[in-house]
Amino acid sequence: MSDQTTGLTEPGRGSGKGPSRGLPDAARRRRLRRWRGAKDWISRGSVATFGVGVIGALALMFVYLFSETMPIFGEPEIRPAASYAAPGGPELGETVHVAMERYREVGVRFTDRAGYAFFDPRSGELIEQGQLNKPSGAQIRSFDTAEARHRLVGYGLDDGTAIFARHDYDVSYPDGERQVTPSITYPEGEGEPLAIWAEDGHPLDAIGVQRGSRGSAVVGASNEQEALRLVLFEEETDFITGEATVEREVYDLPWPESGIEVTRILLDTTMRNLFVGDAKGRLHYFDVSNLNRPRLVGTVRAIEGDDAEVTQLQFLLGAASMIAGGSDGSVSQYMVTRDEAGDRQLTRIRTFDGHPAAVTGIAPEHARKGFATGAADGTLQLHYATSSRTLTQLALEGGPSVAALSMAPRQNALMAVGANERFNYLDVDNPHPEVSFKALWQRVWYEGRDAPAYVWQSSSATDEFEPKFSLVPLTIGTLKAAFYAMLFATPIAILGAIYSAYFMSARMRQMTKPAIEIMEALPTVILGFLAGLWAAPFFERNLPAVFSILIALPIAMVMAAWLWTRVFPEGIRSRVPPGWEAALLIPVVIGVGWLGVTASPYMELAFFGGDMRQWLTDQGIDYDQRNALVVGIAMGFAVIPTIFSISEDAVFNVPRHLSQGALALGATPWQAVATVVLLTASPGIFSAVMIGFGRAVGETMIVVMATGNSPVTNFNLFEGMRTLSANIAVEMKETAQGSSHYRILFLAALVLFVLTFAVNTVAEIVRHRLRKKYSAL
């Protein structure tokens, strides 16, 4: 009989299948071992490769975020680019002011003889020169400039008049080539000197010029006569004819203090605040909002020492704060604030690294809150107000003094005039001065505020806006949203998982577990949409119902369970199969919800005067419609499936012999769960909570749609928040690529990445310790 008919194989032959077919037993076993070894090697290699790939992907994400963030921490640089003699020669006089237009193709020089010269800043080549309309025989006693963006200069003369001029630049493109044509214009008086004290002949020992929404203004001080006067040239345009008229209004101001010598004068662009520096190192603050009743608000000492003098005084962009330079080399920032009584006062809000010699020049930036300072020893320094930093320093070539200093409108160049009228053109590389540890993580005293604060406000409608890039409100908002979401989701998810895995019937578990897990596939944008457009208004209208339901529902469930076990007869209870008792709670939940909503108006009338939101406001608790309560509940529903699914699997997979042994020793089911099952499943439950927390920290759409996106620094349940992820989603599309705002958003992403990584790392360490501790069970 053949092998085919008997179903037997000959000794030493294989089964006819697989790689060992037709081989002797020893060879077949070796071949099988090699094949299994190859499969093991492929499996281990695949797992290792993809594991390393995951780690590599995370590392690459970190490297990319870090690479986009690093430039904001780079050091700025000032590089000398050109040096030349004064354009126009010494016959024009000594330079008192220099400036450049935005393309750095034309610069201008003003001298102490009312001369001017336009030139090429890169080479010093003269383009045009001339004289302002200075009366013959009059001597120049003082000089000042308005805010840099207005390009106005003013000369104070010894005959009580002032020259008010503007340097303008007309840009055209003949034959496709840019051409900048400079010119001198006279905003007021058609070039004629403006009368300040012409009738009395008081010399203008100090002058301040400014232009604002009300027109142009000149403030003159005569030290010998101890007289201070403001002349306002108010412009009005007839809306029918379009004809412009200028009205001259004169206002005499009180002298700051008898016996002082005024050295510097500043008037802000609103024409409401006037600041006067004197030769004793003090600043005097005048309120001139009502020019018919001007008043001296107060005096502060800006410069210390016996020979103290305010040598330089310049507004930063927007004229909301000013920089004072002293004869001792000090550099300080001052701003008008309000005290506890609401009265305005002049306050020093920060100081910067000083110079070894007297400050002789301050050059504010045209589009940011930065500025440069120059001193009598020839040193230049670059500062930034918001970040409270002195960025870099350079010793000027061509002499030991800085006679004049100016910043290019795009903050990319400096023009400095040294001793012997040596002009120095310097390239400036300073793209991200706003960033410092203090500006990102500590309280900062911003312009317009009465105290330091954590603020995120990256943009505004005004050009002189001060960006505020504190990451503290965003980080606190992220933790706040995650905290309230976890506070809502964790007890529901974990208790539900314990009941489902241990007490629920198998058939009911087969229905409920997939139903809850499928909630995880629900797009969070839908949850955010419902939370923002339905839940937030509903909560606002029914605040008592929301809190009464959250409190009454657990109590009602416990009471229903007690009634079921203690009151209902055995005959009724026996009709409900074991593990199906949870279905009996469905009408309880519906009933408590209906009762809470129905009773809400009556509770408001009885306990909150008919309006719970107004009652909260009266108690000093702010209420926003889209707040942390709405976000916590909406995000909780997004997190519950994750925590429930992992916790339920952890509890369900606890070996049955452990709980059965506890029951055999006389423990009740709940005692078995609390003392055996939960301890054994604790690593998995802890992992579930941490994964849910990570999900809450990174959630974006619910926060964007269900909260007001207000970056506040509190954990008030009734106020909104702005999270790191939501801020990135909202602002990334609005920022310019490569800007400080753009890179700080990448820094926010890096902070979120590190925060999540740190939380997951700690969670994994704790999970391993729990697993090791309870593995003996």
Side-chain angles (χ1 to χ4, degrees), residues 365-417:
E365 294 186 352
H366 293 225
R368 298 185 306 200
K369 300 296 181 178
F371 62 99
T373 56
D377 64 344
T379 57
L380 294 177
Q381 288 185 347
L382 206 58
H383 314 266
Y384 199 83
T386 308
S387 59
S388 190
R389 297 173 62 196
T390 298
L391 304 169
T392 187
Q393 180 174 321
L394 177 73
L396 187 66
E397 295 181 6
S401 177
V402 177
L405 187 64
S406 176
M407 180 74 70
R410 292 183 174 179
Q411 294 81 236
N412 52 5
L414 271 173
M415 180 67 71
V417 181

Side-chain angles (χ1 to χ4, degrees), residues 147-150 210 267-270 315-322 364-369 447 462-466:
E147 191 189 39
R149 293 177 299 172
H150 296 299
Q210 192 58 271
L267 178 67
D268 72 354
T269 54
T270 65
F315 280 123
L316 289 182
L317 173 70
S321 66
M322 59 185 174
E365 294 186 352
H366 293 225
R368 298 185 306 200
K369 300 296 181 178
E447 291 181 348
T462 60
D463 294 335
E464 59 268 16
F465 168 71
E466 179 180 25

